[in-house]
Structures are given as C-alpha cells and as structure tokens.
Amino acid sequence: SQLRAAPQGLPDEQLILTDPLACSLHAVLRPELTDAGRVLVYGAGVLGLGVVSALRAAGFAGTVDLLARYEFQGRVGLALGADAVLDARADRLEAVAGRVGGRIVPGHLGRRSLVGGYEVVFDAVGSAESFSESLAMTAAGGQMVLLGTTGPGRVDPTPVWFAEVRLVGAYGRSVESFQGRRVHTYDLVLEWLATGRLRTAGLLSHTFALADYRAALAAATAKADSQCIKAAFAFG
C-alpha cells in the first residue's frame, strides 16, 4: 500500500528523501498557516530542514526562523528558504525574545516565561526539553506542532492553558487536503520533487558503499564531526 512509482528522471539521491520529506510536509499541512507571519522550526536535522523546504514549497511567504545546533545545518537551512538561523547552543529563549521583540519573565522554581513568540512553532527534535521550550516560544493563541518523536518525559504544559497555545500532533504521512485536492503525502512530495518545487540541496549529505557501514553509522551518529544530515548507502 505504500509503494509508489518513481517519476521518470528523478535520481535516487532525491527519491531516497521521499519518506522524511513526506513526514515534514505532513507536519506543515497540519496547522493553519494563513494568518501566521512568523514561524520557528526548532531543530535542524533532516525533519526540521525538511519543514523549512516544505513551508516554502507549500507557498508560505512569511518569516521562517530555524533553531540549529551546528553551523553546517544553518547553512543548509538558509539555502532551503529560512530567513534566519538562531544558535541552539546559546540561551534559546533569549535568542527568540531578541528575534521577535519579546521579553522574558521570571517565574516560580527558576522557570522563565516568554511574552511574545511565534505564531507557529514546529518541534522537530522531540525531546521533553524541546517540547517545553517550543510551547514557551509560541505566541499566545498560536500553534505548536510536534513532529519529533520521543518517549515519556516531564513537560511544562503551562502555555497550553495560560496562553491558550494549540498543540498539534503530526506523525508520518497521510492523505492530505491541499488546495482543494485529496492527495497522499508521498504523491505530493514526488510531484513537487519532479517539478523542482521542493528543494533538497544539502539534505543527503553523505553516501557510503554497503561495506563501509561502520563509517556510515559513525557519520550519522556523530554529526558535529561529520557534518552529516542524512546518510545513505549507494549501490553499483
């Protein structure tokens, strides 16, 4: 049921990105973006960078900021359509406050709240920390989209009730409603890849022969050293 015919002319280097890009695009099509002027993508792995590309492919013309841990991720994000890159290794709440013109308010037990924020925040990391911070970085009445997956953890849900932030879940791919069409995410991704509407430059950063699987796994798990975004095996 998940098999799709590959469009003629698309190279394997793009086709192998179909599934992660479908996950990113499905997340982009979940919230209401019509009235959103500013969007933050929290995390710059292949899913977060895919969200940046999918936002632009879907026609979002507002500001897209990317919270990235490494400089090489930021460079790819800018090439895919991000307007600015915030340093995830610095004080993230301070960086967001400075970017959106907000202010930080101290709370109980050392917690901090942000007055101001983004209309939509995509959490593409999926840790308890990124979940809580993404909620905190969402403006009152805004939407926070969780596409990164994780296990149980302690999350501060205060913005959900205090700032009436709407929490939107996004998992995998589905049948989408897009501009009057009912279309599977895979088919939409393949269509946009074939027409060049969906940018992929820099997403497949490393390829390895199967015999070099140890080096491939090392590159994929030590991104700071390898500057890997997505690795794949090349046959032939």
Side-chain angles (χ1 to χ4, degrees):
S1 65
Q2 296 188 51
L3 292 177
R4 294 293 186 276
Q8 291 292 325
L10 272 182
D12 291 344
E13 289 79 4
Q14 283 192 300
L15 288 171
I16 201 171
L17 296 168
T18 302
D19 188 68
L21 285 174
C23 295
S24 298
L25 178 58
H26 177 61
V28 164
L29 297 180
R30 292 282 288 125
E32 177 54 59
L33 292 171
T34 305
D35 297 325
R38 286 179 175 269
V39 165
L40 175 69
V41 181
Y42 189 126
V46 68
L47 288 182
L49 292 170
V51 168
V52 174
S53 182
L55 280 165
R56 295 312 189 194
F60 181 71
T63 298
V64 177
D65 291 343
L66 176 66
L67 194 59
R69 182 173 294 275
Y70 305 117
E71 185 180 350
F72 71 91
Q73 295 172 326
R75 291 197 300 269
V76 174
L78 292 172
L80 293 175
D83 292 287
V85 177
L86 309 181
D87 187 355
R89 294 165 297 182
D91 188 320
R92 293 179 289 273
L93 212 58
E94 288 281 4
V96 167
R99 178 67 175 162
V100 301
R103 60 187 177 89
I104 296 175
V105 179
H108 296 292
L109 302 175
R111 295 177 178 173
R112 299 181 300 164
S113 298
L114 175 67
V115 178
Y118 293 85
E119 285 88 354
V120 180
V121 176
F122 293 89
D123 177 7
V125 175
S127 67
E129 182 180 47
S130 66
F131 194 161
S132 294
E133 291 188 355
S134 293
L135 284 173
M137 294 170 182
T138 306
Q143 303 165 89
M144 182 269 195
V145 184
L146 179 63
L147 71 146
T149 55
T150 186
R154 299 189 65 172
V155 174
D156 181 5
T158 304
V160 176
W161 56 264
F162 184 72
E164 298 190 349
V165 169
R166 285 168 285 171
L167 180 59
V168 180
Y171 178 72
R173 70 299 302 158
S174 184
V175 176
E176 314 290 356
S177 296
F178 181 74
Q179 296 183 345
R181 299 171 59 192
R182 294 283 292 169
V183 56
H184 196 281
T185 327
Y186 280 155
D187 295 320
L188 201 53
V189 166
L190 290 172
E191 177 185 314
W192 288 359
L193 286 175
T195 59
R197 180 170 176 172
L198 195 57
R199 303 179 196 175
T200 62
L203 291 180
L204 181 61
S205 57
H206 291 64
T207 57
F208 296 88
L210 186 57
D212 297 327
Y213 69 92
R214 288 187 177 87
L217 293 173
T221 55
K223 296 180 179 180
D225 298 323
S226 66
Q227 300 193 7
C228 178
I229 292 173
K230 182 171 178 60
F233 292 114
F235 297 88

